[in-house]
Amino acid sequence: MANFHPTDNALAEFSAGSLDWALSIPVSAHIELCPECKQKIAEYNTVGGSVLQQVNPISIKENSFEQLMTRIKTEKLEPISPCDEVHNEHPLDERTRHLPKVIQKLVPTDKPLKWSSLSPKLKSVILTSGQKKYEVRFHKIKSGGKIAEHDHTGLEVTLVLEGSFSDANGNYAPGDYIEKKPGEVHKPIAAQNQDCLCLSILEGPVKFTGLIGKIVNPFLSISPQ
């Protein structure tokens, strides 16, 4: 059972379809793992459906459909080139079958993930999500690993997928959804008994504090894909 959840505003925006696509990924994954938030989404969807039923319909011209069909029949359309069959279901992958469905779809099945070591205890890989505002990554902290204290230059959303980590504000286990904004400094530490895998959504690069920050911060950036 998750102990840290998206805000009610984020859930409402997700239900309405107005939440940014990249931010919808961890919210959707959290909902799959959290019965409490799944129930909230069901309630929001019910309310939204009721509102739509009460909206007065807008009248259209009586012959609009006939005009559309006439246009389809008379206009010269370019032939559609043949294409490969589209498969909506993402093939099962031993690396990801235990992960929420929305995250499974971000992992390529035709090639291995190219992890980059950010420190002896931390490695990551960028995932392609089809948007240009947020960077979407897997971060994996080795058991007992400590991440240097850092601030944030933009919104950072983290969803724990495997293992756990802690900071001064709490202990985070699979399904927990953590949101950090500029000015919220923390120092994540992975549990001693298991590596910690997280999905991270970054609006801007982290900003390390202390001497290490003066050295590396000028070189940090994000790469939305």
Side-chain angles (χ1 to χ4, degrees):
M1 179 70 70
N3 293 312
F4 297 87
H5 312 271
T7 64
D8 287 343
N9 283 342
L11 291 174
E13 287 186 43
F14 178 83
S15 174
S18 58
L19 188 63
D20 188 281
W21 159 237
L23 297 178
S24 295
I25 296 170
V27 172
S28 177
H30 173 83
I31 291 168
E32 186 174 334
L33 300 170
C34 176
E36 178 182 336
C37 289
K38 184 180 292 185
Q39 177 61 34
K40 283 187 177 182
I41 287 295
E43 293 171 358
Y44 288 146
N45 290 345
T46 299
V47 171
S50 298
V51 170
L52 286 176
Q53 288 181 345
Q54 297 174 27
V55 174
N56 293 326
I58 300 175
S59 61
I60 60 175
K61 295 179 180 179
E62 293 183 0
N63 62 343
S64 294
F65 179 74
E66 289 76 8
Q67 291 179 355
L68 175 60
M69 294 304 296
T70 300
R71 183 177 177 184
I72 292 174
K73 293 177 181 178
T74 57
E75 287 189 2
K76 184 177 180 181
L77 303 177
E78 294 295 328
I80 300 175
S81 58
C83 60
D84 295 333
E85 181 180 358
V86 176
H87 296 277
N88 291 325
E89 292 296 325
H90 195 276
L92 286 177
D93 188 317
E94 291 296 333
R95 300 169 299 169
T96 63
R97 64 169 60 242
H98 63 291
L99 299 178
K101 293 181 177 64
V102 66
I103 297 179
Q104 291 183 30
K105 295 180 180 181
L106 298 178
V107 181
T109 58
D110 57 345
K111 58 184 177 181
L113 293 172
K114 295 183 179 180
W115 293 86
S116 299
S117 294
L118 305 180
S119 74
K121 291 289 187 177
L122 175 66
K123 61 181 182 179
S124 74
V125 59
I126 297 178
L127 302 173
T128 300
S129 59
Q131 49 78 50
K132 299 298 181 183
K133 183 176 181 180
Y134 296 90
E135 181 182 82
V136 180
R137 278 184 181 265
F138 278 150
H139 279 106
K140 181 176 286 187
I141 314 172
K142 288 187 177 180
S143 57
K146 300 179 180 180
I147 309 303
E149 183 181 78
H150 60 272
D151 198 345
H152 307 84
T153 62
L155 178 65
E156 178 191 77
V157 174
T158 300
L159 182 73
V160 182
L161 299 172
E162 298 174 0
S164 63
F165 77 90
S166 62
D167 61 18
N169 297 312
N171 298 304
Y172 311 103
D176 281 335
Y177 177 103
I178 307 101
E179 188 174 296
K180 296 292 184 181
K181 298 177 181 178
E184 295 182 326
V185 179
H186 71 149
K187 184 178 180 179
I189 303 174
Q192 295 289 339
N193 62 340
Q194 185 180 357
D195 292 350
C196 179
L197 176 65
C198 297
L199 179 76
S200 300
I201 314 298
L202 299 166
E203 186 178 24
V206 298
K207 182 180 179 182
F208 290 102
T209 61
L211 179 60
I212 186 174
K214 294 180 180 179
I215 297 173
V216 304
N217 286 341
F219 302 98
L220 299 178
S221 63
I222 62 170
S223 300
Q225 296 183 13

